[in-house]
Amino acid sequence: MVEFIRQTILPLYGIIDENASISPLGNGHINQTYLVRWSTGQIVLQQINTTVFTKPEVLIDNAAKVSHHLIQKASNGEYQLDVISPVVLKDGSLSVDLADKGFWRAISYLANSHTIEVVSNQDEAKMAASAFGHFAHALSDLDANTLEDVIPNFLNLPQRIEQLKQAVADDKSGRLADCREWAELVLSQQSLFDELEQAESQLPLRICHNDTKINNMLFDKRDMSSMAVIDIDTCMKGYLMYDFGDMVRAFCSPEEEDSTALDKVIARPEIIAAASEAYTAQLTAILTPIEKRSLWLGIKVMALMLGSRFLTDHLNGDVYFGIHREGHNLDRAANQLTVYKSLVAQEPQLSALFN
């Protein structure tokens, strides 16, 4: 792949350098991402997974709109973070479709950037939550309907539950026996499904990031200050409770999301409180009372939904999320559903944060 990129892809960007270094970047589950460095520059190059993103041109268009809006905000002093922007090919386009050789695009690389996989303390939680809140506020005056759905029904919990039910019924890979209890846990949460249906009908549509994990926040490694919100491929219209919920379910555990040390997987209340305070402070001017109350629901929903998605993929034979070991998606599912159980166990005190 490295030589293919060097000989075929890089010349499309006008990069002719036999000594260019090309190395894998990050640990995303979906796209193949590389850091390309050459004598006069550096970019992030991605091969988009067109099985997941069946209309990759929509992804490219949405990301360009979001990037352009944020750059305008920054130029007016209304956005304090750096902006990841698309890199243009020699022909002026933002991507290239090479059919069976892949769909490719490049984005800017921020020097001195650093990611973390686990939130260690309240200060990190506040800093990252504040950045994601700032990102959401900056996009609040961009019409949500100007973005197309990159993945239709991406955060549709009822549909995810139906997919799990089908995976359980089919048991294509003969794996149900080792995860039946986890499936039963997900499918028994009807009261949560009902609460979600009622809440969604009362919430305003916003432009959301839709993947607010801690490793989609860049820190400046020189002082660990907030640098940029990245991976805007799933930006589309939605509800802030999902962005907040995904962020907190990813922040709140002291373990990585595929850790098998389930006795250590807990929802840390102090991290949730710190993230809530920082996130809502950035959105004071636009956050409605019902949106604020919905944030607690969003945490529970996102932990359950992600656990359900990992479990469905495990049952289906690991066809969506990339895996690095046998049973990897089951490990991820068990981890996230353990977070969910910890959240529910602490509901009386945690829900009070959002009144």
Side-chain angles (χ1 to χ4, degrees):
M1 180 61 78
V2 168
E3 282 309 307
F4 170 75
I5 290 173
R6 190 189 313 278
Q7 300 299 328
T8 304
I9 305 298
L10 297 189
L12 299 176
Y13 288 92
I15 303 168
I16 310 295
D17 189 334
E18 289 298 321
N19 296 315
S21 68
I22 303 166
S23 56
L25 181 66
N27 62 354
H29 302 329
I30 308 299
N31 300 320
Q32 297 297 312
T33 305
Y34 304 89
L35 175 59
V36 179
R37 285 188 164 123
W38 67 101
S39 57
T40 58
Q42 51 197 358
I43 58 172
V44 174
L45 182 69
Q46 285 190 313
Q47 182 180 6
I48 302 299
N49 184 331
T50 53
T51 301
V52 173
F53 297 107
T54 57
K55 295 182 177 179
E57 65 280 356
V58 172
L59 178 157
I60 299 299
D61 186 56
N62 281 0
K65 288 176 181 176
V66 168
S67 175
H68 178 72
H69 187 80
L70 293 178
I71 289 171
Q72 284 189 317
K73 285 283 188 177
S75 68
N76 294 333
E78 300 175 280
Y79 190 64
Q80 278 69 57
L81 300 174
D82 289 325
V83 181
I84 300 295
S85 54
V87 176
V88 179
L89 285 88
K90 286 172 61 179
D91 66 3
S93 59
L94 299 180
S95 61
V96 58
D97 187 352
L98 299 179
D100 61 336
K101 299 295 185 181
F103 188 99
W104 297 84
R105 66 91 179 265
I107 54 178
S108 57
Y109 175 75
L110 295 180
N112 299 307
S113 60
H114 174 72
T115 60
I116 61 176
E117 296 300 320
V118 174
V119 171
S120 300
N121 52 58
Q122 289 168 266
D123 287 341
E124 286 181 356
K126 285 181 178 179
M127 191 174 300
S130 181
F132 279 120
H134 186 53
F135 176 87
H137 185 269
L139 292 174
S140 64
D141 59 347
L142 179 60
D143 183 357
N145 290 308
T146 62
L147 301 190
E148 291 187 53
D149 286 347
V150 183
I151 303 177
N153 296 307
F154 182 58
L155 296 180
N156 184 324
L157 182 59
Q159 183 176 87
R160 298 298 186 185
I161 297 304
E162 288 304 312
Q163 290 169 346
L164 177 60
K165 288 179 180 178
Q166 190 64 54
V168 167
D170 294 343
D171 194 16
K172 294 176 182 177
S173 302
R175 295 174 169 180
L176 180 60
D178 64 357
C179 60
R180 188 182 298 275
E181 289 186 7
W182 291 119
E184 290 175 349
L185 170 65
V186 175
L187 298 176
S188 68
Q189 304 305 304
Q190 186 61 48
S191 61
L192 182 72
F193 309 154
D194 294 341
E195 184 182 359
L196 177 63
E197 182 179 10
Q198 181 177 5
E200 279 194 347
S201 66
Q202 303 174 67
L203 296 171
L205 275 178
R206 308 281 193 189
I207 289 180
C208 297
H209 183 281
N210 290 309
D211 195 13
T212 48
K213 297 181 296 188
I214 186 60
N215 58 13
N216 281 332
M217 168 70 218
L218 290 184
F219 294 88
D220 189 324
K221 63 184 178 184
R222 293 167 295 189
D223 60 5
M224 287 305 290
S225 61
S226 301
M227 180 178 272
V229 171
I230 62 171
D231 199 0
I232 58 176
D233 295 345
T234 51
C235 278
M236 49 189 164
K237 57 181 175 290
Y239 305 109
L240 289 182
M241 68 171 176
Y242 289 127
D243 263 12
F244 180 80
D246 197 25
M247 179 185 73
V248 171
R249 70 92 205 149
F251 285 14
C252 69
S253 174
E255 294 288 306
E256 293 188 26
E257 71 175 23
D258 61 354
S259 169
T260 58
L262 299 185
D263 59 322
K264 298 178 182 177
V265 174
I266 58 169
R268 293 174 288 177
E270 71 278 10
I271 298 297
I272 296 173
S276 171
E277 178 186 354
Y279 186 80
T280 56
Q282 288 289 335
L283 293 161
T284 301
I286 67 164
L287 198 65
T288 69
I290 195 166
E291 276 184 299
K292 184 176 181 181
R293 291 194 297 272
S294 76
L295 298 181
W296 165 245
L297 174 61
I299 306 172
K300 293 187 293 179
V301 166
M302 289 307 298
L304 187 76
M305 190 184 311
L306 188 58
S308 176
R309 292 177 64 200
F310 285 140
L311 190 57
T312 298
D313 202 31
H314 173 71
L315 289 168
N316 287 338
D318 308 309
V319 295
Y320 185 92
F321 296 108
I323 61 169
H324 305 295
R325 60 177 184 261
E326 185 77 17
H328 200 174
N329 276 320
L330 178 56
D331 293 341
R332 291 165 170 156
N335 181 298
Q336 289 304 296
L337 295 175
T338 299
V339 170
Y340 175 73
K341 290 168 67 176
S342 179
L343 290 165
V344 172
Q346 301 177 75
E347 181 151 18
Q349 61 267 40
L350 291 177
S351 62
L353 296 169
F354 305 96
N355 291 331

